[in-house]
Amino acid sequence: RSGNWNGAGEEWEKETHAASPKLAGRACYNMALSEEIKGNIDQSISWAKKAYEEYNNKKALNYLSILNDRKRRMEEQKYKEGR
């Protein structure tokens, strides 16, 4: 809530190794959010994939679709600007 994404990310990353799959999946999802906020779309996609594929976090599947679409649009924009 305070905008400290780096601090939050450090805490969430610790929880990605939690014994509880539900907690670890939620932490991976939160890491995806944190990485997107910091502008790291590829890292964000990687965390969202992990949240879904390894921990069956259903919210992560929808978020992954959004991230992939966002990345595609960013790449299209770079291509247009490169002309």
Side-chain angles (χ1 to χ4, degrees):
R1 291 182 184 176
S2 68
N4 182 3
W5 290 101
N6 290 327
E10 290 172 10
E11 293 301 314
W12 290 328
E13 190 160 14
K14 291 176 192 173
E15 295 298 325
T16 63
H17 305 289
S20 164
K22 185 175 182 177
L23 181 59
R26 190 177 303 139
C28 290
Y29 180 85
N30 288 342
M31 286 299 297
L33 293 170
S34 176
E35 291 299 329
E36 183 190 11
I37 293 292
K38 293 187 288 184
N40 302 325
I41 193 81
D42 290 328
Q43 283 291 77
S44 182
I45 289 170
S46 178
W47 281 112
K49 277 184 183 178
K50 183 173 183 165
Y52 179 69
E53 292 174 356
E54 294 183 25
Y55 299 105
N56 200 30
N57 183 309
K58 305 253 190 281
K59 288 171 59 174
L61 182 60
N62 183 54
Y63 186 42
L64 186 56
S65 176
I66 292 167
L67 289 170
N68 282 322
D69 184 58
R70 202 165 281 156
K71 182 178 178 178
R72 181 188 52 78
R73 284 186 280 129
M74 289 168 61
E75 289 171 351
E76 286 175 354
Q77 185 64 31
K78 282 183 185 178
Y79 176 76
K80 288 177 185 176
E81 290 173 357
R83 285 188 156 192

